[in-house]
Amino acid sequence: MADHQGGSTNRLFGGVQHRAPNPTQLVGFLTLIVSGGILLMLSGLTITGLVMGLIAFAPVILVTGPLWFPAAVVLFIAAAVVLSTCGVGVAVLAAVTWLYRYFTGKHPWGTDRLDYARSRIADTATHVKDYAREYGGYLQSRVKDAAPGA
């Protein structure tokens, strides 16, 4: 029976020994713990400095606050104008490039859809014109029937 317990003990510790980390994993884990602690300490110092700065500059912020809002609005509007102008410029440049490639026959992306839409519009216009011609003739004959002198 003692042999039975010794075999189970060996199996138990053998599994633990088999799952023990190798030295590379141990160094990596220690590096993770040390760097995590350093980053945690630095973030704590940053938050502490921020709070102390807010406490020290709170009177200045309160006194000059009415000047900051209009300045912030002006800066926001200026940034929005610059960004929208750049965006419109990029869109115009892309459209001009696409049109140049289309008219020079290089077939940019979407050309097949544009050609299909153009043919559908032309076919629809032809059908509408034919229908108007037929229906217009019908109306003219009806008007002549209603008013023979017209």
Side-chain angles (χ1 to χ4, degrees), residues 123-137:
D123 290 344
T124 303
T126 303
H127 291 305
V128 167
K129 184 175 75 172
D130 293 341
Y131 181 76
R133 218 180 261 152
E134 291 174 17
Y135 191 69

Side-chain angles (χ1 to χ4, degrees), residues 8-34:
S8 65
T9 306
N10 283 341
R11 276 187 265 146
L12 178 66
F13 286 128
V16 170
Q17 188 178 16
H18 177 65
R19 296 173 194 260
N22 60 25
T24 305
Q25 291 174 334
L26 188 60
V27 169
F29 183 69
L30 289 174
T31 304
L32 178 68
I33 289 176
V34 169

Side-chain angles (χ1 to χ4, degrees), residues 77-112:
I77 291 173
V81 166
V82 168
L83 289 176
S84 64
T85 302
C86 291
V88 168
V90 168
V92 166
L93 181 65
V96 168
T97 303
W98 190 91
L99 286 172
Y100 173 76
R101 292 187 71 194
Y102 178 74
F103 287 120
T104 56
K106 295 181 182 172
H107 299 292
W109 181 79
T111 305
D112 53 344

Side-chain angles (χ1 to χ4, degrees), residues 31-83:
T31 304
L32 178 68
I33 289 176
V34 169
S35 61
I38 290 171
L39 289 174
L40 185 63
M41 183 184 69
L42 286 175
S43 65
L45 288 174
T46 303
I47 291 173
T48 303
L50 178 67
V51 169
M52 297 300 281
L54 283 175
I55 290 171
F57 288 109
V60 175
I61 293 171
L62 288 174
V63 169
T64 61
L67 300 175
W68 289 21
F69 182 74
V73 169
V74 168
L75 286 176
F76 176 76
I77 291 173
V81 166
V82 168
L83 289 176

